[in-house]
Amino acid sequence: MREVHDRIEEQVVELLHCLAPSDPFGGRSRAAAVAGTVGGRLDVYGRWVWYPWSGRLVHVLPEAEFRLVRTDRNRDKISREQQQALLGRRVGVIGLSVGSGAALTCAMEGVGGAFRLADYDRLGLSNLNRLRAGVHELGLEKSVLCARHMFELDPYLDIEIHRGGVSEETIEDFFVQDEQGRGLDLLVEECDTPWVKVAAREHARRRRVPVLMETNDRGLLDIERYDLEPDRPLFHGRTGTTTADDVRGLDREQAIRFLLTIVDEQRLSPAMADALARVGRSLSSWPQLAGGVMLGAALVTEAARRILLGEPLASGRHSVDLEALVPASALSLPAPHGAAL
């Protein structure tokens, strides 16, 4: 153990302010109000959470009170009743490069109380241009890394990790119901393996699970409402009747061509379209930026929240292209400070 972190009294004070903003202490002193809430024993109130990977022991509020305070600033964009409903939902995320941002943002916003995370890969140095991680975490499995960050946000989350990713042998387990009969309520698919992309949708459609995908280019968000349209063609019909068996074993060129079909090559940014033609030659992989990943995480979280709350949101493909929404100005701009004229 390297650190004991105990700020429970401040958390209790926050709780009292959340419960009664106009009179948090009910006419009593702060000390008396806190003592009355915890039964006079701050040291045994709530829960002590042990984080073995960092050596920290952290004192937090009991689960219901912790959740109430942690999500209080969501109100009333998300009501307390809606927040409670969201905590009863399970979200699956396949692919934890781009997908880790979506998983973390969903957890931060309280969109889901249970998660299944799948990725076979480990964190590499080149991932640090877009993943929230440190150099001391290089080599760590991406599924473990994402789960750790989520548990540090909320130690009461229910998180399963599938460290080998999703394969023919394990995909059924990723979707299967737990002991309480609960399967996935929503899938976020962010991998780049054709077989997984198709097979995940086949399983989601069979189980009537909605699927979200964000392509990290021009803010392109895909919504596939298999929960409402169990006969809907995969990828909005862009791949025809192609099945997972059909795309098993594609080589690099074939895989890239298939991915371009999915995302619609004509809608790609010029930089991405050019890059994809050079992957494996002058580029090690396709480019992804942190800003694009964060925008995608926001789009996925917004869509997931609306779907899980039963708000109207149809299947479709939507683009939040900041270059189009905030176009470059034709005005002449001053030269950057220090630049040669």
Side-chain angles (χ1 to χ4, degrees):
M1 184 187 305
R2 294 198 295 270
E3 179 184 348
V4 176
H5 194 82
D6 187 359
R7 312 294 293 190
I8 194 66
E9 182 175 350
E10 295 168 17
Q11 295 173 52
V12 173
V13 170
E14 278 196 88
L15 172 64
L16 294 172
H17 277 275
C18 293
L19 292 172
S22 63
D23 185 17
F25 303 143
R28 299 168 292 177
S29 68
R30 166 175 161 150
V34 169
T37 301
V38 304
R41 290 290 305 277
L42 269 173
D43 58 330
V44 297
Y45 179 73
R47 183 171 297 183
W48 288 91
V49 180
W50 168 240
Y51 292 102
W53 53 88
S54 63
R56 294 188 180 99
L57 183 65
V58 184
H59 197 177
V60 297
L61 294 171
E63 181 174 359
E65 289 78 5
F66 177 90
R67 290 270 173 69
L68 185 148
V69 175
R70 203 188 74 78
T71 62
D72 186 70
R73 294 292 294 274
N74 288 353
R75 296 191 302 146
D76 272 329
K77 291 187 173 183
I78 309 174
S79 69
R80 282 183 178 157
E81 293 74 20
Q82 289 175 321
Q83 202 77 70
Q84 196 61 37
L86 288 169
L87 287 172
R89 299 306 191 98
R90 185 186 302 276
V91 176
V93 184
I94 300 176
L96 295 168
S97 286
V98 173
S100 67
L104 283 165
T105 307
C106 282
M108 193 178 298
E109 194 165 295
V111 179
F115 294 84
R116 285 180 181 160
L117 310 176
D119 200 307
Y120 68 88
D121 202 8
R122 294 176 179 268
L123 182 71
L125 182 57
S126 64
N127 296 137
L128 296 186
N129 79 318
R130 64 195 184 280
L131 265 71
R132 178 179 173 267
V135 292
H136 63 289
E137 292 167 313
L138 292 174
L140 187 64
E141 293 157 290
K142 291 178 180 176
S143 58
V144 174
L145 175 68
C146 187
R148 287 181 178 182
H149 291 170
M150 292 168 73
F151 277 131
E152 288 171 352
L153 282 170
D154 183 344
Y156 294 107
L157 289 173
D158 173 4
I159 304 176
E160 300 175 27
I161 57 174
H162 292 244
R163 303 167 83 155
V166 168
S167 66
E168 294 181 62
E169 292 74 29
T170 63
I171 192 167
E172 187 73 27
D173 290 338
F174 189 79
F175 282 90
V176 75
Q177 295 180 340
D178 61 14
E179 294 79 4
Q180 286 75 44
R182 298 187 308 159
L184 294 182
D185 294 296
L186 183 138
L187 174 65
V188 179
E189 187 279 302
E190 296 291 354
C191 73
D192 53 19
T193 304
W195 182 88
V196 176
K197 297 185 85 67
V198 179
R201 281 166 176 76
E202 290 175 343
H203 280 261
R205 185 170 59 180
R206 193 175 308 132
R207 292 170 171 80
R208 304 190 67 161
V209 175
V211 177
L212 299 176
M213 177 183 71
E214 202 285 326
T215 61
N216 194 229
D217 184 64
R218 284 187 163 172
L220 191 61
L221 174 69
D222 268 285
I223 303 170
E224 296 171 273
R225 295 298 306 269
Y226 300 121
D227 54 326
L228 303 179
E229 305 167 271
D231 297 321
R232 184 177 182 80
L234 308 185
F235 305 108
H236 314 294
R238 292 198 56 79
T239 59
T241 59
T242 300
T243 68
D245 286 339
D246 295 331
V247 298
R248 183 187 288 110
L250 297 183
D251 62 27
R252 177 186 284 270
E253 293 294 329
Q254 293 169 327
I256 290 176
R257 179 51 49 191
F258 182 75
L259 295 174
L260 285 172
T261 300
I262 290 173
V263 301
D264 186 356
E265 187 173 2
Q266 302 305 313
R267 299 183 67 160
L268 292 177
S269 65
M272 180 64 83
D274 175 68
L276 285 175
R278 296 188 290 118
V279 170
R281 298 185 177 91
S282 58
L283 290 176
S284 60
S285 188
W286 42 80
Q288 295 176 315
L289 298 178
V293 170
M294 292 178 185
L295 173 62
L299 296 175
V300 167
T301 301
E302 171 76 13
R305 172 169 51 80
R306 291 166 62 182
I307 290 172
L308 294 176
L309 289 176
E311 298 177 7
L313 190 63
S315 296
R317 175 165 285 179
H318 311 275
S319 183
V320 183
D321 184 357
L322 295 183
E323 289 194 21
L325 293 173
V326 190
S329 173
L331 296 175
S332 58
L333 300 177
H337 180 68
L341 297 177

